[in-house]
Amino acid sequence: MSKYIITSALPYAEGVPHLGNFVGSILPADVFYKYIDMKGEDAIFICGSDQHGTPIEIQAIKKGITPKELAESVHEKIKEAMARFECTFTYYGKTDSEKNKETVYWLFDKLYKNGFIVEVTDIQPYCNTDKLFLADTFIEGTCPFCGYEKARGDQCENCGHLLNPTDLIKPHCRICGGTDISFKETKNLAIDLKKLQPEIKDFIDDRKGNNWSITAINKPLSYLEQGLKPRDITRNIDWGFDVPMEGFKDKKFYVWFDAVIGYIGITREWDEGKWEQYWKSKDTKLIEFMGKDNIEFHTMMWPGILIGSMDNLVLPYTIKAYEYLTARGLKFSKSNGIGMNVENSLGVMDPDYLRFALIYRLPETSDADFSIDLLLEVVDKIMNDKIGNFVNRVLTIAKSNSEHIGRIEMSKDYGSKIKSIIEKYKSDFESISLREALHDLIDLAEEGNSLISGSEPWKMKKDLSDTEVKNRFSEVMGNLIYTVYAIGVLSYPFTPKASGDILDYFGISGKPKLGLLDAGINLDYSKEVKPIFKKATKEQIEKLKMFSD
């Protein structure tokens, strides 16, 4: 039996993630994990806060606190927000933990002894005003590839290109804002990706058919064609893990290095006795979700670490990278204050509505704009009108006519249609086409709405003394009630609260399993029927306007 490790790119503890971060990594990972759990698979969902790096240093300096204080404070806020969003991590940890530090040192030692750590001489920016070397994210300038004016020295947030500080046009120091910058030589340690290139290419060629995003395939292949180079794993910074090697003890490990290793470190933090059962099992499938700006780290550097350790660690099976969710035509950005974050959005709407709308707009193959108008349309016309109203109408009719409803089961023709939709739902989940799976759920409601409109069971109520009409009424209601039941089961990955509310009418509590679809159905006709979804209120609309132009 397969095991699954499901991971999401770790949210950076500089600030609470915005909705673009959330929909590009944690939310689809959570939706997929919930489906895998419904299947009854042996799976763990591992995530945590990425707590090191210079952006945290910069924010801490501005706030007059230590980087650790900031990282811990934001970590707790992220944990709370994710819990409110009903994310069901097996464990949500952090990278600045003793267990992750131990894991980083262990893998560094493995890589060094195996000959994959090399010493390099870098040209690193030095701020003549602040009298210090600038880590890559302490320097900012214009991207030479796309012209974005706030690109960092390690990567352009806008186009995703990996950069070196010397690539930037018109660079300036992010601490003092000055442009009096020199470039000086300094020694660092690097992972020798050039030496690992053949194995990394084999890894990509072997795995890219396993539902990888097209971008996750094309980007690394492009870099491989150019030829990989050693990638620094140390920097002249103050916040991070010390480098345990003579000649480099004044440096720290680069944040990307301990962040990707954090997947293992956080698993060890969860259960030291079980982590190897997942990370060293040939039966394990490692499924990783991320935004497209994380592709390079997860398709080249991270596999390079795992391969270079020579310790039979599991390599990624599927890399699902999403495009950007944009707001007002721009990418959501914590630093630029664009778009709603996960905290303030929960102050406007319940998580089910946001989860549904975000997956409905999931940027699987191209950037997708997420507007307030779109959110309201999804909430009012799809969640409320198509799904909520259908569930409410069926349960209300069933409650007032329970004595005329026999065994709850589907007729052959109608059942064939519903089972076909359910099979497509499963198939779409297996291929990690989450937006399509959500549309399958909507299709179930539409099929039910079509039946209820065509059969008009409220009219049949008048002639239930007629045996033929009574049998037809019972058959129609059996079809409709099963459809409501199936929506209750299959909505769990997307809208866990609504799923629980629906299944409560059938006497089912806790996390549902797919096997329930083949079980006998018992509807509790005595329960009061309440709305599953509602339209957005005037108060909610007014709150949403705070985030519009």
Side-chain angles (χ1 to χ4, degrees), residues 14-25:
E14 175 193 8
V16 176
H18 54 68
L19 291 184
N21 297 139
F22 183 58
V23 76
S25 54

Side-chain angles (χ1 to χ4, degrees), residues 137-277:
T137 48
F138 267 130
I139 187 170
E140 191 174 79
T142 300
C143 174
F145 294 98
C146 70
Y148 182 61
E149 294 181 352
K150 292 187 177 182
R152 304 186 311 260
D154 63 339
Q155 187 177 26
C156 176
E157 184 186 47
N158 186 60
C159 70
H161 265 92
L162 295 180
L163 301 172
N164 289 309
T166 52
D167 296 329
L168 294 173
I169 301 167
K170 296 180 181 179
H172 62 267
C173 172
R174 290 185 65 194
I175 300 173
C176 67
T179 58
D180 188 6
I181 295 172
S182 302
F183 288 88
K184 300 183 177 183
E185 284 191 355
T186 183
K187 291 188 182 299
N188 276 301
L189 295 174
I191 180 170
D192 195 349
L193 295 179
K194 182 178 180 180
K195 192 172 182 180
L196 286 160
Q197 174 157 335
E199 288 83 0
I200 293 172
K201 187 176 187 310
D202 287 345
F203 151 72
I204 294 171
D205 288 340
D206 180 58
R207 303 296 181 95
K208 65 186 181 184
N210 299 333
N211 299 316
W212 283 38
S213 300
I214 294 298
T215 315
I217 297 170
N218 292 340
K219 273 200 171 185
L221 289 179
S222 174
Y223 280 106
L224 286 163
E225 282 182 16
Q226 299 169 34
L228 300 185
K229 300 175 183 178
R231 186 72 179 177
D232 289 10
I233 63 170
T234 66
R235 272 294 181 264
N236 294 80
I237 51 178
D238 296 325
W239 174 233
F241 292 142
D242 295 332
V243 179
M245 186 171 173
E246 288 300 326
F248 295 90
K249 292 191 174 180
D250 60 334
K251 299 178 186 288
K252 306 289 185 184
F253 278 117
Y254 208 166
V255 60
W256 75 260
F257 185 67
D258 68 66
V260 292
I261 291 174
Y263 296 128
I264 298 177
I266 291 168
T267 309
R268 294 182 67 184
E269 194 179 344
W270 162 62
D271 195 320
E272 182 66 34
K274 289 185 178 179
W275 78 271
E276 288 184 314
Q277 295 175 24

Side-chain angles (χ1 to χ4, degrees), residues 463-509:
D463 300 306
L464 290 177
S465 58
D466 184 304
T467 302
E468 185 176 337
V469 174
K470 181 179 178 180
N471 290 339
R472 173 62 180 153
F473 177 81
S474 181
E475 178 186 276
V476 168
M477 291 308 299
N479 287 332
L480 294 172
I481 291 169
Y482 183 89
T483 306
V484 169
Y485 177 75
I487 289 172
V489 174
L490 300 179
S491 62
Y492 172 67
F494 307 108
T495 53
K497 182 181 182 302
S499 169
D501 289 344
I502 294 171
L503 292 178
D504 183 58
Y505 291 104
F506 297 91
I508 296 169
S509 60

Side-chain angles (χ1 to χ4, degrees), residues 67-87:
K68 187 173 184 64
E69 287 173 330
L70 176 62
E72 288 297 314
S73 171
V74 175
H75 168 68
E76 292 301 324
K77 287 183 179 181
I78 295 173
K79 273 182 68 176
E80 181 183 354
M82 293 302 104
R84 290 177 62 198
F85 252 110
E86 303 202 48
C87 294

